[in-house]
C-alpha cells in the first residue's frame, strides 16, 4: 500500500470488488466463484489499508471510540440487515436480493472516500 497509497488502495479495491461481485451475481457461470474469490483477496488488502488510514488520521482515543461505536451499532445493524436480506430473498430471488444488497453497499464506499480525503491527519 505504500507505493499506491492506503486511500487509493482502499477505494480502488472496494470499487474493483464491487464490480467483481456485480458480474458474479448478474452473469452466473462457472467463472463466478473465481470472481467472488477475487473479492476476498481485495477485502484483505482493504482491511490493511483501512487500518493504516485510521492510524494516520485519528488519535488512539478517537480510534478506541470509533471502534466501540462501530462494534455496538454493527451488531445492532447486522440483526436487522440479516432479517431484511432474508425477507428480500423470500420475496424475490437470492440472486436479486444479493444485487439489491450490493447496490445498498455502494454509498458507503463514497462516504469512506469523503471521510479520508477531507480529514486532517492527527
Amino acid at each position: 500500500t505504500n507505493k499506491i497509497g492506503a486511500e487509493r488502495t482502499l477505494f480502488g479495491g472496494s470499487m474493483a470488488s464491487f464490480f467483481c461481485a456485480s458480474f458474479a451475481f448478474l452473469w452466473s457461470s462457472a467463472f463466478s466463484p473465481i470472481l467472488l474469490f477475487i473479492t476476498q483477496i481485495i477485502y484483505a488488502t482493504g482491511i490493511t489499508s483501512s487500518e493504516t488510514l485510521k492510524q494516520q488520521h485519528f488519535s488512539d482515543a478517537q480510534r478506541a471510540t470509533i471502534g466501540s461505536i462501530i462494534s455496538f451499532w454493527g451488531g445492532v445493524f447486522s440483526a436487522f440487515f440479516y432479517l431484511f436480506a432474508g425477507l428480500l430473498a423470500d420475496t424475490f430471488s437470492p440472486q436479486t436480493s444479493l444485487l439489491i444488497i450490493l447496490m445498498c453497499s455502494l454509498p458507503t464506499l463514497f462516504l469512506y472516500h469523503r471521510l479520508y480525503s477531507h480529514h486532517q491527519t492527527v
Side-chain angles (χ1 to χ4, degrees), residues 29-102:
S29 69
F31 192 60
S32 295
I34 295 169
L35 287 172
L36 293 175
F37 176 72
I38 291 170
T39 64
Q40 294 305 305
I41 294 170
I42 295 170
Y43 175 78
T45 60
I47 289 295
T48 303
S49 298
S50 177
E51 292 302 316
T52 300
L53 287 169
K54 286 177 189 174
Q55 288 183 0
Q56 289 174 352
H57 291 278
F58 299 104
S59 69
D60 289 343
Q62 289 172 324
R63 284 196 313 272
T65 303
I66 289 169
S68 297
I69 292 170
I70 289 173
S71 179
F72 174 74
W73 286 110
V76 171
F77 178 75
S78 291
F80 289 109
F81 173 78
Y82 293 130
L83 178 65
F84 176 70
L87 291 173
L88 278 177
D90 288 342
T91 304
F92 301 106
S93 69
Q95 181 182 21
T96 303
S97 65
L98 288 171
L99 285 169
I100 291 170
I101 292 166
L102 189 63

Side-chain angles (χ1 to χ4, degrees), residues 14-15 18-19 101-111:
S14 296
M15 291 301 293
F18 174 83
F19 286 115
I101 292 166
L102 189 63
M103 292 301 160
C104 290
S105 72
L106 190 59
T108 60
L109 301 177
F110 297 105
L111 289 174

